[in-house]
Amino acid sequence: MPYEFDYFFIVMFVLVFAIIAVTFIVILVRGVSEWNSNNHSPKLGVEATCVSKRTSVTHHSDPVAGDISGAHGYTHSSNTTYYAAFEVESGDRMEFRISGPQYGKLREGDTGTLSFQGTRFLSFDRHESQREDVSFEIEYSGDDLYRGLKI
């Protein structure tokens, strides 16, 4: 009986280790393949419209001091990934991962020149006619501080 348990344990250990190793190798090969494909793709600039924006937030909880039981509590963190989808003149749509500052500057409906290389977003230069310059004045007249607010 003990021999059968030892054999089962060894087989399961090797099987789980092999699954993890193969998964890691597949993810690594896909990442390097996409990176290489992007580097060999031409840099393109096309007229496009931003049709949508979205975010993906992931939350993490890690035990304090490496204690898996959580007796010392947990530290919590989150990570936000930003995406924007563009529609080109031909009607095709493409979604790219973008940075937070790029996400903040972009609005749905903006048109401009989209620059990309393969699946890699490079930039989006919005047409100047869409920029809105908002200015306001605050006139102070005694007790009525906000009278005359113009936007």
Side-chain angles (χ1 to χ4, degrees), residues 102-144:
Q102 291 165 333
Y103 183 87
K105 293 176 187 175
L106 192 60
R107 291 183 299 183
E108 290 183 13
D110 283 350
T111 59
T113 304
L114 170 66
S115 299
F116 62 98
Q117 184 178 21
T119 60
R120 185 182 300 146
F121 175 83
L122 299 176
S123 68
F124 181 74
D125 297 319
R126 187 168 54 175
H127 293 313
E128 288 296 322
S129 63
Q130 294 179 11
R131 299 192 188 273
E132 294 179 8
D133 293 326
V134 176
S135 63
F136 59 92
E137 297 177 13
I138 298 177
E139 295 178 6
Y140 178 74
S141 62
D143 297 331
D144 194 8

Side-chain angles (χ1 to χ4, degrees), residues 23-45:
T23 302
F24 178 76
I25 291 169
V26 166
I27 290 171
L28 185 67
V29 168
R30 283 185 181 171
V32 170
S33 175
E34 183 177 356
W35 175 81
N36 188 41
S37 175
N38 284 339
N39 285 344
H40 287 91
S41 296
K43 292 180 181 178
L44 300 175

Side-chain angles (χ1 to χ4, degrees), residues 4-68:
E4 291 173 5
F5 179 75
D6 289 343
Y7 179 72
F8 177 74
F9 179 76
I10 291 171
V11 169
M12 289 304 293
F13 178 78
V14 170
L15 185 63
V16 169
F17 179 78
I19 290 171
I20 292 171
V22 167
T23 302
F24 178 76
I25 291 169
V26 166
I27 290 171
L28 185 67
V29 168
R30 283 185 181 171
V32 170
S33 175
E34 183 177 356
W35 175 81
N36 188 41
S37 175
N38 284 339
N39 285 344
H40 287 91
S41 296
K43 292 180 181 178
L44 300 175
V46 296
E47 291 299 312
T49 301
C50 177
V51 291
S52 69
K53 296 172 22 173
R54 70 179 179 94
T55 59
S56 175
V57 180
T58 55
H59 302 281
H60 310 279
S61 295
D62 298 312
V64 175
D67 180 13
I68 330 178

